Amino acid sequence: MSITKTAVVGATTLASTALLAASVGTANAASAQSAHSTQLKTAMGAATPVSKALKLSPHGYGRLKIGMSEQRARKTGMIMLKTHGPACDGYDLKGHPTGRDTVGVYVSHKYGVALIQPPKNTRTTRGIHIGSTLAQAKHAYPGLKRNSQGYYGVAAPGNPQALYEFDISRGKVNSMTLILKVQDCFG
């Protein structure tokens, strides 16, 4: 049962409990309402769905999509402004702060969301995560090649506007990002 259904059923039951208790007497009303409140909290806790970990897909991270405008990105409620620049603003994903000199998301004023670096426990849609081996990344993403900055990049499958970039250290994925191919935030 969803939280909404639980709340509606709970509110209906609470009203019924209150009416019944009123007919029995006020002393019993408080006792009945307290017992019902405990039952409702338990039911709501049991009905709360376990949130699935978001994946870094070729199109974005949850509701945050690569290339979306800054206004739309802010409306997702997923990002917090960290730095403001002439061409791009830097954000962190809510609940996942980065270090003092880094950001988790770059948003170009001209091109939209230009980079998403998800939290460390994130996986790509093909299962690559921090700790995956270079061999696993190459198997999941044929065509993965080292670029001039030393990162391993590959076109994001199904999204010709984006690419995945993996930082590999000692043969394992150390970080991963989804990058907009045409952007003006970084080199």
Side-chain angles (χ1 to χ4, degrees), residues 56-169:
L56 185 63
S57 80
H59 300 282
Y61 178 72
R63 295 181 317 273
L64 185 64
K65 303 300 181 193
I66 202 80
M68 79 176 359
S69 72
E70 188 161 10
Q71 182 180 7
R72 287 184 58 212
R74 291 182 101 161
K75 283 183 180 180
T76 66
M78 295 180 67
I79 58 175
M80 300 179 327
L81 184 64
K82 190 169 182 180
T83 63
H84 182 69
C88 298
D89 292 336
Y91 290 84
D92 272 345
L93 291 163
K94 282 188 179 174
H96 303 283
T98 57
R100 190 164 94 174
D101 297 326
T102 61
V103 297
V105 177
Y106 273 117
V107 182
S108 164
H109 302 300
K110 184 175 180 179
Y111 299 104
V113 175
L115 174 142
I116 302 170
Q117 184 170 20
K120 293 184 179 193
N121 61 347
T122 305
R123 293 178 180 270
T124 68
T125 51
R126 293 189 178 176
I128 299 304
H129 57 89
I130 303 242
S132 292
T133 65
L134 176 58
Q136 289 169 324
K138 284 183 173 183
H139 180 74
Y141 298 100
L144 185 69
K145 292 190 179 358
R146 192 169 187 180
N147 64 26
S148 60
Q149 288 92 19
Y151 296 104
Y152 286 81
V154 66
N159 185 356
Q161 298 174 341
L163 60 95
Y164 281 119
E165 195 170 82
F166 301 97
D167 178 25
I168 307 291
S169 178

Side-chain angles (χ1 to χ4, degrees), residues 6-24:
T6 302
V8 170
V9 170
T12 305
T13 305
L14 183 57
S16 300
T17 303
L19 286 173
L20 178 63
S23 67
V24 174

